Amino acid sequence: MKEAKKALCITISLGAVLAGAAVTAVLLWKFMENKCSVSGIECGSSGTCISPSHWCDGVLHCPSGEDENRCVRLYGPNFILQVYSAQRKSWHPVCQDDWSDSYGRAACQDMGYRNSFYSSQGIVDDSGASSFMKLNTSAGNTDLYKKLYHSDICASKTVVSLRCIECGVTGKTMRQSRIVGGSSASPGDWPWQVSLHVQGTHVCGGSIITPEWIVTAAHCVEEPLNNPRYWTVFAGVLRQSFMFYGHGYRVGKVISHPSYDSKTKNNDIALMKLQTPLTFSDKVKPVCLPNPGMMLEPNQSCWISGWGATHEKGKTSDELNAVMVPLIEPWRCNSKYVYNSLVTPAMICAGYLRGGTDSCQGDSGGPLVTLKSRIWWLIGDTSWGSGCAKANRPGVYGNVTVFTDWIYRQMRANS
Ligand code: 4AZ
């Protein structure tokens, strides 16, 4: 009897120890699998964990700022407002239910627009989303992000379409009006086009995206030209001979993409912040930054504009010229007989493989735009090419769509 009890005791103790070990192992494994399963959400893959309540609360907690990086975005050609769910690791449209312009203003501010808001309206969701974010209006006076909760449907059957700036419209009715193989522009045709001068001379082009921010190419602002003092910006003037020193806008900041590579021209994009904001008019207007989910056609018609040379080795043009160029698919542009793998995902090719029509020296930094949903979008910034308008040597442009996150981040950090 005594012996039997002893054996039972030992068996139970052993079992307990084994069970304990198993539980510890499972917990340890869970912990290894997701470092932040106990204390919240991981900052990227840094190993740092923060509480879900700190995600997108307007205060930086992660070492690289991931918690405030991507909280709201506009998606597709209809500017559908989407909110990032850190828990589900996915983007969700916002129901129009109980939405108002004041939330729209807050979302625009979160994205990097300073006191800029154009319109907010409910539209039927075309993104195919199956989960939405809804406003909890009784959540009190906390920030927008904390008032949102997941919902499978929107009572209004519509989602928020948000525009932070009136962009991508031309001065008057669009009429088809050099660059190589192009024709001169009329006032208001390309109202976002600016001329960037150094010591009274046109050096590069640029595009207006807000009253204060200009997009150009990083290769235009290589040292020592990364010093804003060198630059003067002219907007709304078609002829170089009408741009007089002292009448342009001064630049307060020049920000080059940190991953720009001067040898390969990879990430060839830069921003200029003006010292004083531009006044918009028929001739001076911003272009729209592309939203993710824009779905461009393989041969989408785009337009380039600038005061660049009208033939290879020519001099800068006095008049602003523009021309249509179709996009060229990356695989075609990277083929052996074209650019043989020199085109990275941060670049986009446009032009004709037969030659004859192209951007050229002096057009750099200027816009490559396309018309979609009756709005003009900045798809590229003029970057490089082998010569101008030669067969199998089309123009290469910075792929602005891949830089929009970076652009908004700079606007937010320097507003
Ligand atoms: C340039 O030197 C340049 N054909 C710009 C565009 C192209 C070539 C050269 C594309 O600014």
Side-chain angles (χ1 to χ4, degrees), residues 84-330:
Y84 188 71
S85 162
Q87 280 113 334
R88 299 193 186 182
K89 294 192 166 62
S90 53
W91 292 92
H92 303 276
V94 178
C95 293
Q96 174 68 17
D97 321 9
D98 298 314
W99 188 261
S100 69
D101 282 3
S102 63
Y103 295 114
R105 284 177 197 283
C108 286
Q109 193 128 22
D110 278 0
M111 252 175 301
Y113 289 95
R114 183 168 80 176
N115 298 323
S116 182
F117 169 80
Y118 174 50
S119 72
S120 176
Q121 60 179 122
I123 63 163
V124 175
D125 179 50
D126 59 5
S127 73
S130 56
S131 178
F132 302 86
M133 298 299 254
K134 240 171 129 158
L135 262 184
N136 175 7
T137 46
S138 59
N141 212 359
T142 62
D143 61 70
L144 166 67
Y145 204 82
K146 287 194 186 126
K147 283 189 182 176
L148 294 166
Y149 63 96
H150 284 281
S151 171
D152 290 338
I153 49 156
C154 298
S156 62
K157 293 206 172 70
T158 55
V159 296
V160 177
S161 162
L162 176 66
R163 298 192 56 182
C164 297
I165 191 165
E166 184 180 14
C167 58
V169 286
T170 52
K172 298 180 216 100
T173 48
M174 195 41 213
R175 47 166 228 110
Q176 185 164 321
S177 46
R178 255 157 306 207
I179 284 207
V180 185
S183 53
S184 58
S186 299
D189 277 357
W190 315 104
W192 42 81
Q193 171 86 56
V194 294
S195 169
L196 305 179
H197 281 211
V198 174
Q199 291 166 352
T201 304
H202 169 90
V203 172
C204 272
S207 304
I208 301 166
I209 53 166
T210 78
E212 298 184 281
W213 290 97
I214 307 291
V215 171
T216 187
H219 84 255
C220 293
V221 295
E222 281 180 29
E223 261 188 272
L225 297 180
N226 58 343
N227 185 336
R229 290 169 179 277
Y230 280 106
W231 296 96
T232 310
V233 177
F234 290 92
V237 188
L238 290 182
R239 282 179 172 274
Q240 287 295 326
S241 47
F242 292 170
M243 298 176 193
F244 300 110
Y245 190 77
H247 285 245
Y249 285 76
R250 306 311 316 264
V251 176
K253 251 177 208 158
V254 173
I255 307 171
S256 246
H257 196 285
S259 308
Y260 165 62
D261 183 334
S262 59
K263 288 194 191 78
T264 62
K265 297 277 182 290
N266 201 21
N267 304 304
D268 192 4
I269 192 158
L271 290 167
M272 285 184 178
K273 190 183 187 201
L274 303 179
Q275 279 186 358
T276 51
L278 295 162
T279 307
F280 291 158
S281 67
D282 263 2
K283 293 187 229 166
V284 181
K285 288 169 187 288
V287 65
C288 295
L289 283 173
N291 298 326
M294 289 280 294
M295 304 292 269
L296 297 177
E297 307 294 325
N299 301 300
Q300 179 108 14
S301 291
C302 291
W303 289 75
I304 47 174
S305 49
W307 289 271
T310 52
H311 53 269
E312 199 176 318
K313 299 197 176 96
K315 59 179 182 8
T316 301
S317 163
D318 187 53
E319 281 183 304
L320 177 63
N321 296 303
V323 74
M324 195 278 278
V325 284
L327 292 183
I328 299 173
E329 293 162 277

Side-chain angles (χ1 to χ4, degrees), residues 26-48:
V26 166
L27 277 177
L28 209 68
W29 177 71
K30 276 262 174 203
F31 185 73
M32 302 278 271
E33 185 193 45
N34 183 357
K35 295 189 195 83
C36 299
S37 56
V38 187
S39 55
I41 303 166
E42 187 176 356
C43 297
S45 48
S46 64
T48 309

Side-chain angles (χ1 to χ4, degrees), residues 219 358-362 364 382-385 387-389 395:
H219 84 255
D358 198 5
S359 50
C360 201
Q361 190 141 44
S364 278
T382 305
S383 179
W384 64 276
C388 304

